[in-house]
Amino acid sequence: MSGTLGVLALLILLTLGVPIGVAMGLVGMVGLAILLGPEPAIVKSGVVLFETILRYELGVLPLFLLMAHLCFSAGASRDFFDAAARMIGHRRGGLALASIAGCAGFGAVSGSSLATAATIGLIGLPEMKKRGYSDALATGSIAAGGTLGSIIPPSGALIVFGILAEQSIGKLFTAAIIPGITQALFYMITIVLLCRWRPSIAPTAQRASWAERRAALLRITDVAGLIVLVLAGIALGWFTPTEAASVGAVGSLALCAWRRTLNRKTLVDALAQTLRTTGMIYVVIIGALIFSVFMSVTGLASQVESLMASVGGGQLTAVIVMTVLLLLLGSVLDGLALMLLTTPILLPIIVNLGLSPIWFGIYLIRTMEIGFVHPPIGINLYVIQGIAQDTPLVRIFKGVVPFLAADFLHLSLLIAVPALALALPAWLGQ
Amino acid sequence: MGDVNPQERGGASARGPLFYIGAAGLLLAMAVEAVSVLGRHVGIPLLGAIEIIQAAILLIATAAMVSTTISQAHARVTLLTDRIGPTAQAVLKRFSAFLSILFFTGLAAGALSLAMDTWNEYEQSELLHIPFRPLRAISFLATAAIAVLFLRELFQRTGERR
């Protein structure tokens, strides 16, 4: 009962616009004070605070953010799109395909869905408009492609999940590689099918010369090399995720210097942006951890588990029920809040069902991503509308529908074949 | 999450002592970890690297949380608040500031209580003997400062920004 009331109170506070970390932490603190007494609640909150801000593993977060901001300053965002556009932009739907590839490449740098959609949108939308692409296809492909930022490692969402669920961040990064790539492929197949069905929505264009293609590819080799080094280093056990993040940050500093974009302003801007985002995420993590302690004391997870067991049907039914619940909650909560709220409740159930917490992390983030592009929240859609102001929101919603279908298909595949996420870490002996 | 929204990049404003503390912590953590990786791969491990990084992370986290509060950049769900009038928005903002004061005061009380309990135990890290006393003091001061910042927000007049 106390657990359910806590969740309800949290949902109300979140809806009223209370900062996510504050809402979670306060509900957790008050809940613990009611269940255990005020003094243990205050002391436990103090312990969570100190342990979190002293936690070595969390160093991965500001360092990867710094790497992202420095890569952004080096102009990496435009380069990924440009390279893909030069290679395949002349084909029917080529620029939409290039947007997906650009999102995948920049998503690996930024680790954020919103940032990926905004950045590639600023570059890709005017290009597609100029070439006569349908506004629905153009906006839909970038809104959907932006979600790749949350899953393609290194990703902020995976780091937060890893901390909250006490799972290896390196293993989560490795597990996300195949789902990230297959998700991008699903989007590309969707674009190809749409263009075959209605060729007029994406006209062909003049092919870029091989010299232009080579030049565009050369421009991304340094950033792509850095990303590969960081990810391969984690996957092959050369570095821990925190070490990889520092190697990435040092590499991106070197990259800015190499590209002659490193100056005082660039560095100060990157550091200031990194600190601002870091502070926001730390408050959220501290709040979520206090809420998580409260949830474990209430035993809500076992009650939900018993409820699910009463439905019967085993693992698959439980996962389907969870998916429906997550998609419904994803309609009213933003992705981060959804992940923070549901992880402490659903993770123990997943473990008791004999499913892998690593798989659950990927599945949860995949479900969360769908919330980024479906109404009424669909934050990526609003970001895209902010860029393509002459395109009505209804057209953007229409454009994203085929990609949502691809999302559901991909999510079903992830549920039916957990090896999609678990095979690579197992193969690499993680 | 890792918000690199290009439309916001001009808005980075923190340039005071907090910025320099956080930035110094960030650069220190980056440099120490990179040297440690290099050292390990060439056979000269940097002893105590993790302890230095932990202390740097504490500086980064506390400076960053205070900076985020000053910039009013905490993550919120805006489904309702974006769709209501300015008066209702102002009321909810004050309500939210009030709850934030309660939360951060609770955290500060917890941090203070732990600092007082362990003050005479002379806690320190294993290899480099970095004392925990100042770290605990910083965690208390940061959360107390955030509570005060929210208190200021609570009494701010409508429409006034810092």
Side-chain angles (χ1 to χ4, degrees):
Chain A
M1 183 66 181
S2 51
T4 316
L5 284 176
V7 171
L8 280 176
L10 177 62
L11 286 173
I12 292 168
L13 293 184
L14 289 175
T15 313
L16 293 178
V18 177
I20 296 173
V22 171
M24 300 195 89
L26 194 64
V27 169
M29 222 185 256
V30 172
L32 286 173
I34 292 168
L35 294 177
L36 307 175
E39 198 183 332
I42 293 288
V43 170
K44 184 63 197 169
S45 303
V47 170
V48 169
L49 166 76
F50 193 68
E51 284 182 352
T52 308
I53 59 178
L54 200 66
R55 196 160 168 176
Y56 167 75
E57 292 82 4
L58 259 177
V60 71
L61 189 75
L63 291 171
F64 267 133
L65 285 172
L66 181 62
M67 173 186 161
H69 288 291
L70 287 170
C71 282
F72 189 90
S73 303
S77 48
R78 175 150 214 119
D79 293 347
F80 277 111
F81 176 81
D82 279 350
R86 295 270 187 285
M87 296 306 290
I88 51 174
H90 59 283
R91 294 178 183 277
R92 195 171 291 286
L95 283 182
L97 295 172
S99 299
I100 300 294
C103 285
F106 184 66
V109 173
S110 82
S112 149
S113 170
L114 201 63
T116 306
T119 308
I120 302 298
L122 279 172
I123 304 159
L125 284 176
E127 285 289 323
M128 286 195 262
K129 192 177 176 186
K130 202 164 72 187
R131 303 243 195 119
Y133 274 56
S134 136
D135 52 2
L137 175 67
T139 51
S141 60
I142 293 181
T147 64
L148 289 165
S150 291
I151 192 138
I152 292 194
S155 137
L158 287 170
I159 295 172
V160 174
F161 175 82
I163 297 293
L164 199 62
E166 296 183 341
Q167 295 299 316
S168 153
I169 293 168
K171 206 168 170 181
L172 279 165
F173 280 178
T174 312
I177 292 174
I178 294 177
I181 293 171
T182 48
Q183 184 185 342
L185 286 176
F186 269 54
Y187 289 159
M188 288 179 167
I189 293 168
T190 307
I191 293 167
V192 170
L193 292 177
L194 284 172
C195 292
R196 287 221 174 147
W197 178 45
R198 291 178 60 199
S200 63
I201 60 171
T204 53
Q206 203 181 350
R207 184 191 289 260
S209 69
W210 277 107
E212 285 173 316
R213 291 179 178 194
R214 260 197 307 275
L217 280 180
L218 263 178
R219 270 200 299 277
I220 59 163
T221 46
D222 48 4
V223 183
L226 183 64
I227 294 168
V228 170
L229 173 73
V230 164
L231 292 183
I234 295 172
L236 300 173
W238 299 339
F239 334 115
T240 64
T242 314
E243 289 172 345
S246 78
V247 168
V250 170
S252 54
L253 259 180
L255 203 133
C256 281
W258 167 256
R259 291 184 170 207
R260 297 179 194 282
T261 54
L262 184 62
N263 52 43
R264 192 174 183 278
K265 186 183 177 304
T266 310
L267 188 61
V268 166
D269 273 356
L271 287 166
Q273 289 283 336
T274 302
L275 287 175
R276 206 181 68 159
T277 316
T278 300
M280 181 194 88
I281 298 177
Y282 261 95
V283 171
V284 165
I285 291 176
I286 291 165
L289 288 173
I290 296 173
F291 181 75
S292 182
V293 175
F294 167 57
M295 279 294 112
S296 63
V297 173
T298 62
L300 182 66
S302 10
Q303 290 161 23
V304 176
E305 194 181 353
S306 314
L307 196 72
M308 281 186 170
S310 67
V311 176
Q315 276 184 357
L316 187 62
T317 313
V319 172
I320 291 171
V321 171
M322 275 184 206
T323 309
V324 174
L325 177 78
L326 288 169
L327 290 173
L328 285 176
L329 278 173
S331 306
V332 288
L333 282 179
D334 85 342
L336 184 63
L338 175 71
M339 182 172 81
L340 298 171
L341 169 67
T342 54
T343 300
I345 302 168
L346 298 183
L347 186 64
I349 301 174
I350 285 290
V351 173
N352 287 344
L353 282 170
L355 293 165
S356 155
I358 296 288
W359 170 83
F360 177 68
I362 307 297
Y363 153 84
L364 183 60
I365 284 159
R366 195 65 197 82
T367 318
M368 184 183 106
E369 281 179 336
I370 295 176
F372 287 141
V373 285
H374 81 71
I377 291 198
I379 191 148
N380 278 14
L381 305 177
Y382 294 101
V383 168
I384 295 298
Q385 205 214 0
I387 300 165
Q389 285 173 345
D390 53 345
T391 308
L393 201 56
V394 181
R395 289 286 296 163
I396 305 177
F397 279 139
K398 192 182 163 198
V400 91
V401 169
F403 296 96
L404 263 176
D407 275 334
F408 285 121
L409 209 62
H410 187 249
L411 183 64
S412 310
L413 186 69
L414 187 63
I415 293 170
V417 189
L420 202 65
L422 300 176
L424 195 57
W427 185 61
L428 292 169
Q430 282 186 339
Chain B
M1 206 155 297
D3 195 354
V4 199
N5 191 342
Q7 290 163 325
E8 291 177 5
R9 288 186 68 80
S13 60
R15 294 287 185 276
L18 278 174
F19 168 75
Y20 289 105
I21 294 169
L26 201 50
L27 293 174
L28 177 71
M30 179 185 80
V32 170
E33 192 70 296
V35 169
S36 154
V37 172
L38 196 68
R40 199 180 63 228
H41 285 276
V42 297
I44 315 166
L46 181 65
L47 285 178
I50 289 181
E51 293 175 5
I52 299 172
I53 293 162
Q54 279 182 309
I57 289 170
L58 185 133
L59 287 181
I60 299 168
T62 47
M65 287 194 295
V66 181
S67 286
T68 304
T69 309
I70 293 171
S71 337
Q72 301 187 353
H74 287 289
R76 296 165 197 264
V77 175
T78 54
L79 181 69
L80 176 72
T81 51
D82 279 353
R83 290 166 176 77
I84 55 176
T87 316
Q89 266 183 6
V91 171
L92 286 184
K93 200 179 163 196
R94 276 166 205 264
F95 174 65
S96 159
F98 172 68
L99 294 188
S100 305
I101 294 166
L102 291 183
F103 174 60
F104 282 103
T105 306
L107 281 184
L112 183 66
S113 151
L114 286 173
M116 284 164 62
D117 283 350
T118 55
W119 200 254
N120 293 322
E121 290 172 14
Y122 300 101
E123 287 177 295
Q124 52 189 17
S125 66
E126 279 176 29
L127 289 172
L128 302 179
H129 305 298
I130 297 172
F132 276 21
R133 269 181 176 184
L135 303 182
R136 289 201 180 275
I138 291 170
S139 70
F140 163 69
L141 288 173
T143 42
I146 297 172
V148 171
L149 286 167
F150 275 113
L151 190 66
R152 199 175 64 165
E153 197 180 313
L154 183 68
F155 291 108
Q156 234 169 21
R157 270 177 291 172
T158 311
E160 186 189 332
R161 274 188 60 86
R162 288 188 292 286

